[in-house]
Amino acid sequence: MLKRLSLLLAMIALLVGGVAPALAQSGDGLTVLAPTAVQPVVEAWAAAFGAAHADIVVNVEFVESSEEILDRAAEANVILTGDPAAGPQLEFECGFISDVYVPLPDIGAWAIASNSCGGSVDPVDVAALDFAAFTVSADGQQVAIDQGLLPDSVEIVDQAGMTVTIPQPVRRIASPYSMATFYVYSVGVGDRLVVAGYLGTNTDAAKDAMRAIDPNFDALLTAVSTLSQKEANIEELAALEPDLLLASARTDWLDAAGELGLSIIRFDGESPEKLKEAMSLLGAVLGPDAAYRAEQFNAYYDETLAKIVAQTEGIENRVRVYFSGTDALRAASADMVQTMMIEAAGAVSVSSDLVGYWNDVNLEQVAVWNPDVIFYPPYGGASAEAFDAPEWANIKAVQDGKVYGVPKLVAPWDTPVPDSILGIIWMAETLYPDQVDLDCPVEVTNFYSRFYGYSVTDSDLQNMCP
């Protein structure tokens, strides 16, 4: 599981010289503390996990209160409590406490890696991560379904207005819609992808970052020979036996895919609100842990946006921005996420009277708008050189040297993906450096660690936060 792998790598990175007291007994046994209220399902998880890991003995002790479990957390390798927001508070010279796993609504699980010191990784700490990850895996969900604690199907209304019933658990996801692929990673279930589209992987740096996020990236990208919004090799797609298909509402071949009996979620996310709705929809069908992560992302998005608005709302003379597309004379309309991002960053889009999607305009119109700043996207060959032509010389943004390319790691920050909140941060800092005090390197580093399990490099930061 990708989450478990990233945590294991983090644990290795945190190992330092010296030996800290062993807080939980190292060895072949795994000690789990859990609430008595969920005893049957925890016993079932322990039995299923033990059957797949014959070399590990899982010892479970049940306690009445979550408070007592937190007080005794140092005795355990894994704890479960009744509040995913309230984790154990322990200090280590080396080792760490994992991020929370949410196997059931209102149940949090943590792996406590406290035995790995002096440069080695103790097998019991690896087993603790594996057990916590198992509880939120498709197999772990099935155990909870068999116990009657999770539903065997979920019904949603997708962003095309279609009512969709999705059998649980979802084990195999096909994501030809490149935006939705990044939703999948952000809710922690990238390991369930069997094929995916990846918007933005048009550079070696983006490919390398994606391989670090998911070592299966190359195989997923090429698992079906033809897979786009316009066409798909349905036979190859069917051979992968996906349980769930994630598609754009404008995908041309969904009728053919529907004949395969696939559950299909259609997305239409051209706004921040639609993005958050998409995250919630996906979380709702992929289990409590994914639902919790979607909720956490949406809360982070709202909190971060509120900080930006608070710092820009008093600005009277707002910067006027022209957002160009893959061609310098293609303008973003009012209906597009780029315009909404500009407004969220405290500026004005000069093309906000346009409707639809990308609009072709002429230079005379741009001259009438005479923007203060020009943004262009990190795809489709768009570049600053397009604005070096003599005919652009009289445009204020060009005269002032304020032509900027929107950054990206993999997914472009100007598209309706989770990363777009970083695009708003970057825009606000670029437009109002004296008013906005959000720190781009800090925000970027925390974002990719939290929602993708990815450690941003210095080279990444130079490209994203120049």
Side-chain angles (χ1 to χ4, degrees), residues 87-175:
Q89 303 297 314
L90 299 172
E91 294 183 0
F92 302 98
E93 289 183 31
C94 50
F96 73 105
I97 300 168
S98 76
D99 292 335
V100 66
Y101 296 80
V102 183
L104 297 171
D106 302 321
I107 293 292
W110 291 265
I112 300 173
S114 59
N115 298 297
S116 299
C117 295
S120 64
V121 179
D122 194 298
V124 75
D125 289 340
V126 176
L129 287 167
D130 283 340
F131 181 81
F134 172 78
T135 66
V136 301
S137 69
D139 286 340
Q141 283 179 246
Q142 186 62 63
V143 170
I145 291 167
D146 293 342
Q147 293 279 326
L149 297 176
L150 292 177
D152 59 9
S153 67
V154 173
E155 183 177 279
I156 62 164
V157 177
D158 69 16
Q159 292 184 312
M162 304 286 288
T163 299
V164 188
T165 300
I166 301 168
Q168 299 290 294
V170 173
R171 296 178 179 274
R172 299 173 66 81
I173 302 171
S175 180

Side-chain angles (χ1 to χ4, degrees), residues 389-454:
E391 57 268 27
W392 285 86
N394 291 327
I395 304 300
K396 186 175 187 299
V398 176
Q399 290 177 338
D400 294 345
K402 294 185 176 181
V403 178
Y404 306 103
V406 177
K408 70 169 186 172
L409 179 66
V410 178
W413 287 3
D414 70 306
T415 57
V417 293
D419 316 48
S420 62
I421 187 63
L422 299 177
I424 300 174
I425 293 171
W426 173 85
M427 286 182 181
E429 285 194 321
T430 300
L431 296 169
Y432 303 111
D434 296 331
Q435 285 93 347
V436 176
D437 64 3
L438 288 172
D439 188 316
C440 180
V442 171
E443 294 291 334
V444 165
T445 299
N446 291 342
F447 176 89
Y448 284 110
S449 175
R450 181 175 179 182
F451 296 110
Y452 288 91
Y454 176 75

Side-chain angles (χ1 to χ4, degrees), residues 174 265 329 437:
I265 300 179
L329 290 173
D437 64 3

Side-chain angles (χ1 to χ4, degrees), residues 259-342:
E259 294 177 2
L260 301 176
L262 287 175
S263 297
I264 303 172
I265 300 179
R266 296 161 175 83
F267 294 101
D268 186 19
E270 274 292 335
S271 73
E273 290 305 316
K274 287 285 190 180
L275 167 62
K276 292 188 292 179
E277 180 184 77
M279 294 288 284
S280 295
L281 284 172
L282 196 57
V285 305
L286 294 176
D289 192 64
Y292 179 81
R293 292 173 181 281
E295 179 183 335
Q296 292 295 299
F297 170 80
N298 289 346
Y300 163 82
Y301 192 106
D302 287 341
E303 179 183 340
T304 303
L305 190 58
K307 289 179 183 177
I308 296 170
V309 170
Q311 294 177 41
T312 60
E313 62 184 353
I315 296 172
E316 294 183 2
N317 297 318
R318 295 183 176 257
V319 175
R320 301 173 71 256
V321 178
Y322 171 61
F323 200 110
S324 75
T326 53
D327 184 279
L329 290 173
R330 301 198 79 198
S333 77
D335 299 323
M336 297 180 67
V337 70
Q338 289 86 352
T339 296
M340 298 172 198
M341 291 173 65
I342 289 168

